[in-house]
């Protein structure tokens, strides 16, 4: 199994449980690991045979702009569902961080894994 990585992707979205958070956009920072077999793409030097990280990043930006959730957990779950379905991703690990949400922490957030990891026993 190979992994396509997208690290520290910043997106702005409406996120939060407090009333004041529902009136502004806040930054989330995402890390993704996406399972795929890169050999066909490498053999043919063809982006159509792999997960296109630019297209996936654009889709994530559009998702963040189009949705608003109270919980980071909901954002992560819905995004994982969308990416899995739209890009045929069999397994992914997604970390969503919300910088500045807790004054004493650099960020808070969640990390989820969805799908079946190829090669897992």
């Amino acid at each position: 199994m190979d992994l396509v990585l997208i690290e520290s992707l910043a997106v702005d979205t409406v996120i939060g449980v407090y009333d004041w958070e529902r009136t502004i956009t806040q930054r989330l920072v995402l890390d993704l690991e996406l399972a795929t077999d890169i050999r066909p793409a490498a053999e043919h030097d063809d982006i159509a045979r792999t997960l296109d990280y630019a297209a996936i990043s654009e889709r994530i930006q559009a998702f963040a702009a189009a949705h608003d959730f109270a919980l980071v957990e909901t954002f992560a779950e819905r995004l994982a569902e969308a990416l899995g379905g739209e890009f045929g991703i069999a397994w992914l690990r997604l970390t969503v961080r919300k910088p500045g949400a807790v004054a004493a922490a650099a960020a808070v957030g969640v990390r989820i894994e969805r799908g079946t990891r190829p090669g897992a026993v």
Side-chain angles (χ1 to χ4, degrees):
M1 176 196 61
D2 305 310
L3 297 173
V4 170
L5 305 175
I6 301 173
E7 296 181 340
S8 298
L9 178 67
V11 300
D12 294 319
T13 191
V14 175
I15 189 89
V17 297
Y18 300 111
D19 289 342
W20 66 268
E21 290 181 296
R22 311 303 301 153
T23 64
I24 63 170
T25 59
Q26 297 184 72
R27 179 142 298 179
L28 298 177
V29 180
L30 286 58
D31 293 326
L32 293 96
E33 296 178 39
L34 312 167
T36 192
D37 182 352
I38 68 165
R39 290 174 292 190
E43 179 181 345
H44 299 282
D45 200 25
D46 183 1
I47 196 166
R49 296 175 184 246
T50 191
L51 295 174
D52 182 344
Y53 52 77
I56 293 168
S57 296
E58 288 175 12
R59 178 61 183 105
I60 294 168
Q61 295 282 354
F63 178 91
H67 294 87
D68 61 87
F69 300 109
L71 301 177
V72 172
E73 291 84 346
T74 308
F75 180 94
E77 188 66 33
R78 299 295 187 280
L79 178 59
E81 290 170 1
L83 295 177
E86 293 175 32
F87 293 95
I89 299 166
W91 176 88
L92 65 79
R93 178 181 291 141
L94 168 63
T95 303
V96 179
R97 292 180 181 87
K98 187 175 177 184
V102 173
V108 297
V110 298
R111 177 174 294 129
I112 65 172
E113 291 186 27
R114 295 295 178 265
T116 303
R117 188 171 179 153
V121 179

